[in-house]
């Protein structure tokens, strides 16, 4: 040995252990997760500890650092000794000594990469043979020893004449075996507490025989909804007993041997049918469950019996009675929790859904007592939002309150689907044993968006036209994205009527958005400008073909509309304008109605797609509402035109005459106009304005509601008020373009398209109404109908059948009277629930919503900036719109384009429904009126004359008295 090699040997023996001692793993884990490994778990500073406590990134950094150490000492040796010398093995051994002494780590990663650097071919052979061995047998201890023996054999086989080399490889392998016997194994730590990112890696190296764990992201289609739900609960961070999932064909005995049940480690076995705990069928109590399994034989038999219970006559009859095909079953094996108090919690009252309550049944002991019905449980209710507890018993109130809050959290995380949850409390934690949808409260119907799209109390004729149009178009749009994945979705159930009010099927929409990879709040984002959670990159890629198809439709939307406008819409509108429907026969009227409906199918597509396109563009290009020009939108244009006529009137009429006339009396003012020459030109201008916007109404989408053309009284009142308020040109909405931005121009085009579509859609609906009114007038004369308005209590198909004499025997007068009575009864209901779970509950007509306010501040959606203090005026319809001024804060149930003249007079606007894209929000921003949308039951919570402070930025309404 040369002097250089002597110094080299000394350096290797000193530096290698020092490199091993440096706690890079601990440093990296602390930097990533803030955790000190020496104070956690086994106290080992190892790669597996980094993965367990710090997560995937910490583990990867640990692997890189320890791999680097192994390679570094080999490269250091080559400075002084020949390639692949015995000193490389000595250097690795010295490194491992340092690792063990300094950080209680075995150094397996150091050895692995050190051997790779030392002899790549030998390392590859060891990896292949060792990997095959471990994959087949999957037992940690034997796997480790087997790999180390392979290392000695493979390395020695290439140097059979070098005794020193062979001895050093044996020393290295023996050292590692000794270390494994003297340090705690991180792989034995509780899988229930492992960082979720690392769960799969831990299960593999623990040798869990390939059995799925509840720590994994499980697919309910493969392991059943119960197992999938429990895994999801763990992913959300709730306490769920450690568990495994057994599928048909898995090695049950090996699992039982691995789990080692005992009196100190009792286990439970439960079913997880692929058709169990779904939205439509719970299968509760159909399949077998087993408790207190304390030995391998009883555990093995329980798993077999649980699988067998899927094929009993009871189970088969249950599936057949619900039209369910046999899909199979998995079995869950879990640690049994010794509960002090246990029970079941319903996130919504399954009996009285009008009350905002959580129902809890509880008893001392295990949850099975409550579920089985063997013992009458204690019953409790927790009322929200004030979180008051009702009920008496021995269960600690703090446990009940926590259970109730958990139930509501899980419901919210489950897209608002009410949940039936089994729980148990062991004196330390609340453990969740199961969660499933409350099948009797399905589907979930929401009025939130429907009440803005089709507000009010809806007549049968209106719904028989709107429902198939709306559902059909939404179905077409969703099918563009989903393609074949939309085949088993029934879009005809997208909307329905409860209490003669429109509701959307939130359960169906949630499933649609789930398939599209979008969050459940997507529809509210698209239609109301609500906040939106960005979809994952993976879901975006999965749906990329469909999204590209949708994008293609969006890009050519304006061209398509202009084409249809020239070819279909304008020709039909011209024809409808020229022909008086009063002169048509019943069959001719029916053909006219059919022509309008055919065009309405196309117009409905644009009336839905154009606002979606506008909303998407505004969000993508980050264009503020204040940057856009709304002057051509019907609700703004009509208001501006009326103001211009009012300004011109003040110029034309003598000032002394205006001062003499009582402008609070619109009838007197219009009588005066008819008597003067100046007044004649004003009336002509008003008539032209009325004709231009004759299609507007309080509810444009409801053909049962009169249009401006039929009732000009409200318009005349507003005009008279405008004349009296001395408007100037500066009060008329103006648009000041700050700078020419491409992004603003792109969004502006869609806003203008939205306005054009709205005009065509509303005009077609108006002419449809006029056609039915003409038919109604004739039928009243012929005694087929009784009075005006009755035709709207027939359905479209009934009118068609009667004219075509397919059902001429029907007593139309009796039918309309019966339906009118039901409609009037629904109209009397003052408090309508925004959410309905399953079947709509009966509502007592005298029932009134009693708000429980946790504070004096109501939260909604800020729709127009500004702060104002003022007195409340409740405006339920346009006829209530009296004595409104710029100090009045009006509260409305909804807004439509026909409300523009009322809204523009107010100092502030509060609406029960709507968002930043609603008619009311647009008008408010255009005239600088602070506005807050989407405050549920605002017309009931707030009262006339009440003083409030409205903040249009924060979306709050603070009650001051």
């Amino acid at each position: 040995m040369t002097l250089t090699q002597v110094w080299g040997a000394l350096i290797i023996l000193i530096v290698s252990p020092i490199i091993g001692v440096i706690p890079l793993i601990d440093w990296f884990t602390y930097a990533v997760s803030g955790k000190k490994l020496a104070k956690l778990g086994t106290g080992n500073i190892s790669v597996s500890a980094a993965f367990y406590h710090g997560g995937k990134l910490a583990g990867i950094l640990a692997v890189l650092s320890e791999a680097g150490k192994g390679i570094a000492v080999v490269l250091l040796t080559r400075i002084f000794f020949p390639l692949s010398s015995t000193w490389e093995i000595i250097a690795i051994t010295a490194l491992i000594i340092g690792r063990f002494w300094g950080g209680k780590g075995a150094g397996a990663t150091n050895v692995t990469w050190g051997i790779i650097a030392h002899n790549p071919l030998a390392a590859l052979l060891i990896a292949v043979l060792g990997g095959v061995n471990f994959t087949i047998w999957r037992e940690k201890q034997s796997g480790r020893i087997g790999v180390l023996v392979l290392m000695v054999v493979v390395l020695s086989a290439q140097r059979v004449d070098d005794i020193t080399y062979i001895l050093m490889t044996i020393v290295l392998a023996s050292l590692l075996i000794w270390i494994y016997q003297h340090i705690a194994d991180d792989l034995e730590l509780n899988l229930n507490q492992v960082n979720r990112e690392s769960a799969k890696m831990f299960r593999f190296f623990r040798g869990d025989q390939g059995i799925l764990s509840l720590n994994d992201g499980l697919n309910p289609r493969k392991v059943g909804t119960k197992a999938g739900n429990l895994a999801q609960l763990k992913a959300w961070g709730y306490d769920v007993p450690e568990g495994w999932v057994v599928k048909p064909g898995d090695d049950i005995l090996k699992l039982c041997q691995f789990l080692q049940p005992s009196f100190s480690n009792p286990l439970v076995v439960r079913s997880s049918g692929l058709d169990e705990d779904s939205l439509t069928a719970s299968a509760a109590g159909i399949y077998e469950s087993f408790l207190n399994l304390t030995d391998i034989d009883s555990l093995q038999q329980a798993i077999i019996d649980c699988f067998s219970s899927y094929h009993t006559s009871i189970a088969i009859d249950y599936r057949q009675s619900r039209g369910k095909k046999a899909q199979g079953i998995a079995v869950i094996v879990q640690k049994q929790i010794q509960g002090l108090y246990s029970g079941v919690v319903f996130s919504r009252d399954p009996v009285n859904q009008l009350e905002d309550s959580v129902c809890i049944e509880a008893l001392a002991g295990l949850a099975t007592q409550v579920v089985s019905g063997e013992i009458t449980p204690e019953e409790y209710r927790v009322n929200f939002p004030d979180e008051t507890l009702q009920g008496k018993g021995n269960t600690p109130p703090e446990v009940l309150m926590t259970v109730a809050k958990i139930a509501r959290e899980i419901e919210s995380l489950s897209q608002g689907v009410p949940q039936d949850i089994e729980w148990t409390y062991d004196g330390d934690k609340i453990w969740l044993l199961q969660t499933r949808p409350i099948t009797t409260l399905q589907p979930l119907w929401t009025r939130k968006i429907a009440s803005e799209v089709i507000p009010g109390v809806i007549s049968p004729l209106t719904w028989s036209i709107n429902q198939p149009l709306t559902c059909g178009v939404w179905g077409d749009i969703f099918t563009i994205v989903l393609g074949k994945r939309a085949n088993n979705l029934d879009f005809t159930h997208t909307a329905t009527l409860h209490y003669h009010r429109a509701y959307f099927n939130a359960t169906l929409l949630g499933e649609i958005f789930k398939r599209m990879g979008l969050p459940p709040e997507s529809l509210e984002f698209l239609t109301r400008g609500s906040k939106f959670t960005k979809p994952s990159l993976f879901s975006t890629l999965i749906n990329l073909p469909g999204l590209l198809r949708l994008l293609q439709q969006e890009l050519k939307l304006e061209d398509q509309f202009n084409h249809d406008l020239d070819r279909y819409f304008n020709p039909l509108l011209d024809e409808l304008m020229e022909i008086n429907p009063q002169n048509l026969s019943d069959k001719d009227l029916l053909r006219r109605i059919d022509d309008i409906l055919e065009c309405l199918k196309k117009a409905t597509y644009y009336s839905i797609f154009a606002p979606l396109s506008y909303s998407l563009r505004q969000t993508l290009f980050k264009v503020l509402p204040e940057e856009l020009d709304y002057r051509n939108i019907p609700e703004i244009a009509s208001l501006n035109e009326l103001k211009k006529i009012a300004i011109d009137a003040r110029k034309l009429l003598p000032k002394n005459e205006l001062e003499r006339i009582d402008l609070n009396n619109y009838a007197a003012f219009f009588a005066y106009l008819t008597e003067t020459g100046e007044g004649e030109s004003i009336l002509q201008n008003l008539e032209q304005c009325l004709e231009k916007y004759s299609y507007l109404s309080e509810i444009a989408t409801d053909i049962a509601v009169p249009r401006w053309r039929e009732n000009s009284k409200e318009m005349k009142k507003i005009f008279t008020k405008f004349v009296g308020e001395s408007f100037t040109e500066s009060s008329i909405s103006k648009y000041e373009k700050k700078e020419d931005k491409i992004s603003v121009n792109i969004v502006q085009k869609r806003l203008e398209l939205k306005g054009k579509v709205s005009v065509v859609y509303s005009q077609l609906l108006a002419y449809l109404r006029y056609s039915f009114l003409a038919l109604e007038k004739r039928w009243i004369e012929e005694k087929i109908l009784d009075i005006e308005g009755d035709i709207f209590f027939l359905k479209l198909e009934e009118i068609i059948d009667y004219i075509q004499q397919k059902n001429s025997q029907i007593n139309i007068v009796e039918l309309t009277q019966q339906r009118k009575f039901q409609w009037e009864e629904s109209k009397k209901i003052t408090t309508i629930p925004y959410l309905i779970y399953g079947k709509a509950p009966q509502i007592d007509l005298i029932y009134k919503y009693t708000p429980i306010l946790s504070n004096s501040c109501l939260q909604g959606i800020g729709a127009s900036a500004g702060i104002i203090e003022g007195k409340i005026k409740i405006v339920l319809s346009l006829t209530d719109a009296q004595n409104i001024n710029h100090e009045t804060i009006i509260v409305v149930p909804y807004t439509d384009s026909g409300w523009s003249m009322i809204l523009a007079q107010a100092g502030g606007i509060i609406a029960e429904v709507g968002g930043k894209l609603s008619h009311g929000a647009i008008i408010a921003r255009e005239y600088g009126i602070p506005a807050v949308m989407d405050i549920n039951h605002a017309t009931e919570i707030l009262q006339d004359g009440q003083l409030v402070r409205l903040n249009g930025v924060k979306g709050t309404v603070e009650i001051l008295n």
Side-chain angles (χ1 to χ4, degrees):
M1 183 181 289
T2 65
L3 183 61
T4 301
Q5 290 177 331
V6 172
W7 280 107
L10 188 61
I11 291 171
I12 290 167
L13 293 174
I14 294 173
V15 172
S16 294
I18 292 174
I19 292 174
V21 168
I22 300 173
L24 292 178
I25 295 177
D26 200 26
W27 295 345
F28 284 136
T29 304
Y30 184 75
V32 170
S33 64
K35 296 178 179 179
K36 299 288 289 182
L37 294 181
K39 298 180 180 179
L40 297 171
T42 62
N44 294 348
I45 301 175
S46 63
V47 170
S48 53
F51 272 110
Y52 184 93
H53 298 292
K56 189 180 291 183
L57 178 58
I60 291 171
L61 292 174
V63 170
L64 293 175
S65 67
E66 296 311 297
K69 287 181 180 181
I71 295 170
V73 296
V74 170
L75 296 180
L76 173 66
T77 303
R78 290 178 182 175
I79 298 174
F80 308 103
F81 295 96
L83 188 69
S84 299
S85 69
T86 304
W87 275 97
E88 292 181 7
I89 300 296
I90 295 172
I92 296 171
T93 305
L95 174 68
I96 298 310
I97 292 172
R99 278 283 290 116
F100 175 69
W101 177 67
K104 289 176 61 182
T109 307
N110 305 126
V111 173
T112 300
W113 287 91
I115 297 299
I116 290 172
H118 170 67
N119 190 332
L121 289 176
L124 178 61
L125 184 58
I126 295 167
V128 171
L129 296 175
V132 170
N133 171 69
F134 184 72
T135 302
I136 293 173
W137 297 109
R138 302 293 305 284
E139 203 283 313
K140 295 188 296 296
Q141 194 65 17
S142 61
R144 287 166 174 167
I145 294 173
V147 170
L148 292 174
V149 170
L150 277 171
M151 180 187 74
V152 172
V153 172
V154 172
L155 290 176
S156 300
Q158 296 180 324
R159 307 272 286 272
V160 291
D161 296 329
D162 192 338
I163 300 300
T164 306
Y165 181 85
I166 294 172
L167 286 173
M168 287 312 304
T169 58
I170 293 172
V171 169
L172 175 59
S174 301
L175 176 63
L176 283 170
I177 292 171
W178 183 85
I179 290 173
Y180 282 134
Q181 293 173 343
H182 287 80
I183 64 171
D185 190 350
D186 294 301
L187 294 177
E188 295 293 343
L189 289 171
N190 189 346
L191 261 180
N192 219 29
Q193 299 172 5
V194 67
N195 188 294
R196 183 168 175 78
E197 297 175 347
S198 312
K200 287 187 178 180
M201 181 277 292
F202 260 77
R203 260 193 43 254
F204 181 84
F205 285 107
R206 277 168 58 118
D208 285 7
Q209 310 298 336
I211 297 297
L212 292 171
S213 163
L214 294 180
N215 291 301
D216 298 324
L218 301 179
N219 185 346
R221 297 175 189 170
K222 296 181 178 179
V223 299
T225 306
K226 185 181 292 180
N229 288 347
L230 288 172
Q232 185 62 71
L233 288 175
K234 287 181 75 70
W236 286 334
Y238 293 101
D239 291 310
V240 175
E242 187 175 1
W244 298 263
V245 180
V246 189
K247 295 187 294 182
D250 285 345
D251 192 327
I252 297 174
L253 179 58
K254 285 190 176 181
L255 170 68
C256 297
Q257 291 173 338
F258 170 76
L259 295 178
Q260 289 294 315
S262 63
F263 287 105
S264 61
N265 180 34
L267 301 174
V268 298
V269 166
R270 311 174 76 190
S271 65
S272 182
L274 273 64
D275 48 11
E276 186 179 3
D277 290 349
S278 67
L279 287 173
T280 56
S282 67
I286 300 299
Y287 309 124
E288 293 286 355
S289 297
F290 302 90
L291 305 177
N292 294 312
L293 302 169
T294 57
D295 61 77
I296 290 176
D297 290 341
S298 61
L299 175 59
Q300 184 178 10
Q301 189 60 49
I303 294 172
I304 293 169
D305 291 344
C306 192
F307 274 122
S308 300
S309 68
Y310 191 76
H311 304 288
T312 62
S313 58
I314 295 174
I316 293 170
D317 289 344
Y318 177 85
R319 292 193 294 271
Q320 290 177 346
S321 66
R322 284 157 178 76
K324 297 280 185 180
K325 294 182 179 179
Q327 300 177 45
I329 192 172
V331 172
I332 304 170
V333 182
Q334 283 182 283
K335 301 279 188 180
Q336 180 162 317
I337 304 299
Q338 299 302 322
L340 299 179
Y341 298 94
S342 307
V344 176
V345 56
F346 298 94
S347 65
R348 298 280 162 180
D349 188 336
V351 178
N352 182 10
Q353 57 176 272
L354 293 177
E355 300 297 330
D356 190 5
S357 303
V358 169
C359 296
I360 305 174
E361 295 181 346
L363 274 177
L366 300 178
T368 49
Q369 299 178 96
V370 177
V371 178
S372 66
E374 295 172 359
I375 303 176
T376 302
E378 301 166 355
E379 295 187 359
Y380 302 91
R381 295 171 67 89
V382 177
N383 301 310
F384 286 87
D386 61 334
E387 299 181 6
T388 57
L389 176 65
Q390 294 178 335
K392 294 182 179 180
N394 298 318
T395 308
E398 60 273 15
V399 172
L400 295 168
M401 292 301 300
T402 304
V403 166
K405 291 176 183 177
I406 288 173
R408 281 296 172 89
E409 288 172 3
I410 294 172
E411 177 187 280
S412 178
L413 290 167
S414 303
Q415 301 182 6
V417 175
Q419 297 291 303
D420 167 0
I421 303 166
E422 288 182 32
W423 59 274
T424 189
Y425 174 66
D426 65 356
D428 179 35
K429 294 178 180 179
I430 292 173
W431 296 88
L432 303 184
L433 309 179
Q434 177 175 308
T435 185
R436 61 189 176 199
I438 304 176
T439 53
T440 57
L441 298 184
Q442 294 299 319
L444 171 61
W445 298 100
T446 176
R447 181 148 167 74
K448 252 192 168 184
I449 301 163
S451 57
E452 184 182 1
V453 178
I454 314 175
V457 186
I458 301 169
S459 67
L461 180 56
T462 296
W463 189 246
S464 68
I465 292 169
N466 283 17
Q467 197 265 354
L469 284 174
T470 303
C471 295
V473 170
W474 276 115
D476 291 342
I477 292 173
F478 290 136
T479 302
I480 290 172
V481 179
L482 292 173
K484 292 182 179 179
R485 287 177 294 158
N487 289 347
N488 63 338
L489 295 173
D490 188 354
F491 295 110
T492 61
H493 292 161
T494 304
T496 194
L497 284 185
H498 293 300
Y499 321 109
H500 288 88
R501 274 87 167 179
Y503 284 80
F504 280 156
N505 189 334
T507 303
L508 175 62
L509 292 172
E511 177 61 26
I512 291 168
F513 291 131
K514 185 178 179 182
R515 295 188 189 190
M516 292 170 66
L518 297 174
E521 71 271 17
S522 300
L523 187 63
E524 293 190 43
F525 160 73
L526 293 173
T527 56
R528 305 164 73 229
S530 300
K531 292 182 179 180
F532 181 73
T533 306
K534 290 183 179 179
S536 68
L537 178 61
F538 177 76
S539 64
T540 302
L541 292 174
I542 289 292
N543 290 281
L544 189 58
L547 293 173
L548 290 174
R549 290 193 296 269
L550 191 66
L551 176 62
Q552 186 179 20
Q553 294 292 319
E554 196 277 341
L555 292 174
K556 60 184 183 182
L557 187 64
E558 187 172 9
D559 290 339
Q560 279 185 330
F561 174 75
N562 289 331
H563 171 270
D564 289 348
L565 184 66
D566 293 336
R567 184 167 183 178
Y568 301 107
F569 300 142
N570 281 339
L572 179 61
L573 289 170
D574 291 340
E575 180 185 329
L576 295 172
M577 188 183 299
E578 291 174 5
I579 300 175
N580 187 344
Q582 304 288 348
N583 301 327
L584 299 176
S585 67
D586 286 5
K587 290 188 176 180
D588 288 336
L589 276 172
L590 195 57
R591 279 190 287 270
R592 176 187 171 102
I593 289 168
D594 190 56
D595 290 341
I596 296 173
L597 290 174
E598 195 61 36
C599 254
L600 265 175
K601 289 179 183 178
K602 297 180 185 294
T604 303
Y605 170 79
Y606 294 115
S607 74
I608 290 175
F609 207 159
L612 296 185
S613 172
Y614 161 63
S615 178
L616 284 169
R617 288 192 176 201
Q618 187 179 6
T619 302
L620 290 172
F621 291 104
K622 293 181 171 57
V623 174
L624 298 174
E626 295 78 15
E627 297 180 90
L628 299 169
D629 182 2
Y630 296 92
R631 289 176 299 173
N632 293 326
I633 302 299
E635 50 264 49
I636 302 298
S638 60
L639 193 59
N640 285 342
E641 197 157 328
L642 200 64
K643 283 188 174 182
K644 286 178 183 177
I645 299 172
I647 293 168
D648 291 340
R650 290 198 66 85
K651 292 177 180 177
L652 286 172
L653 298 173
K655 186 175 181 181
N656 61 328
E657 290 293 327
L658 284 174
E659 291 174 351
R660 182 182 62 83
I661 299 169
D662 181 9
L663 292 177
N664 290 319
N665 186 339
Y666 87 95
F669 177 62
F670 272 83
Y672 166 75
L673 291 178
T674 59
E675 297 171 358
T676 64
E678 295 90 348
E680 186 178 344
S681 65
I682 294 170
L683 289 173
Q684 286 178 352
N685 291 336
L686 268 177
E687 186 62 31
Q688 290 174 2
C689 178
L690 182 61
E691 184 63 31
K692 185 176 180 179
Y693 299 104
S694 62
Y695 57 85
L696 293 176
S697 80
E698 188 173 333
I699 307 175
T701 53
D702 190 348
I703 62 171
V705 177
R707 311 290 121 164
W708 279 12
R709 167 180 162 179
E710 302 165 67
N711 182 12
S712 60
K713 179 180 175 181
E714 296 303 324
M715 185 179 181
K716 289 177 179 178
K717 284 182 179 180
I718 300 299
F719 175 73
T720 306
K721 187 172 183 179
F722 283 175
V723 173
E725 289 185 356
S726 304
F727 280 118
T728 62
E729 296 285 349
S730 61
S731 67
I732 296 175
S733 170
K734 289 182 172 60
Y735 174 66
E736 296 180 6
K737 199 168 187 177
K738 297 178 181 178
E739 58 180 298
D740 193 15
K741 293 169 66 175
I742 296 175
S743 58
V744 173
N745 293 336
I746 291 172
V747 178
Q748 183 67 44
K749 285 185 177 181
R750 277 297 178 268
L751 176 61
E752 291 176 0
L753 176 63
K754 176 176 173 283
K756 293 176 183 177
V757 169
S758 175
V759 171
V760 170
Y761 185 67
S762 298
Q763 286 177 334
L764 287 171
L765 286 172
Y767 281 116
L768 185 64
R769 171 178 166 80
Y770 305 150
S771 301
F772 283 115
L773 288 178
L775 184 62
E776 179 186 64
K777 184 179 180 182
R778 183 174 298 117
W779 283 11
I780 291 174
E781 293 171 354
E782 297 173 1
K783 306 299 182 183
I784 300 171
L785 286 172
D786 194 6
I787 59 174
E788 291 182 2
D790 279 1
I791 197 167
F792 298 105
F793 294 97
L794 295 172
K795 296 177 182 178
L796 176 63
E797 56 270 23
E798 293 168 346
I799 294 172
I800 294 173
D801 287 349
Y802 192 86
I803 293 174
Q804 294 177 348
Q805 296 185 339
K806 292 180 180 178
N807 194 11
S808 57
Q809 301 302 316
I810 186 173
N811 188 330
I812 288 184
V813 171
E814 185 178 325
L815 179 62
T816 55
Q817 286 178 347
Q818 180 185 355
R819 287 182 179 164
K820 190 191 297 183
F821 173 78
Q822 294 170 345
W823 185 85
E824 291 287 355
E825 289 296 292
S826 292
K827 194 176 181 181
K828 292 176 185 176
I829 302 173
T830 57
T831 301
I832 301 296
Y834 278 86
L835 293 173
I836 290 177
Y837 302 90
K839 185 179 179 181
Q842 289 286 338
I843 297 181
D844 192 329
L845 293 181
I846 63 172
Y847 170 77
K848 183 163 178 64
Y849 176 73
T850 305
I852 302 174
L853 301 178
S854 54
N855 54 53
S856 60
C857 190
L858 306 175
Q859 182 65 55
I861 296 175
S864 180
I867 299 174
I868 181 175
E869 287 188 11
K871 291 187 177 180
I872 290 293
K873 180 171 179 59
I874 308 296
V875 181
L876 298 178
S877 67
L878 296 183
T879 55
D880 299 329
Q882 307 297 324
N883 304 318
I884 296 174
N885 56 46
H886 295 303
E887 294 179 356
T888 306
I889 297 177
I890 63 172
V891 184
V892 297
Y894 55 87
T895 60
D896 204 299
S897 53
W899 285 70
S900 56
M901 296 179 186
I902 304 299
L903 300 176
Q905 300 177 63
I909 300 170
I910 300 169
E912 290 188 325
V913 298
K916 295 179 181 179
L917 309 179
S918 65
H919 297 287
I922 292 172
I923 293 167
R925 287 194 296 269
E926 192 69 11
Y927 291 95
I929 302 170
V932 175
M933 306 286 145
D934 195 40
I935 295 186
N936 295 353
H937 300 292
T939 59
E940 297 163 78
I941 296 172
L942 300 171
Q943 301 171 12
D944 281 332
Q946 202 167 28
L947 186 65
V948 301
R949 181 184 295 114
L950 184 155
N951 188 320
V953 176
K954 295 181 179 179
T956 57
V957 176
E958 185 180 355
I959 301 173
L960 301 180
N961 70 342

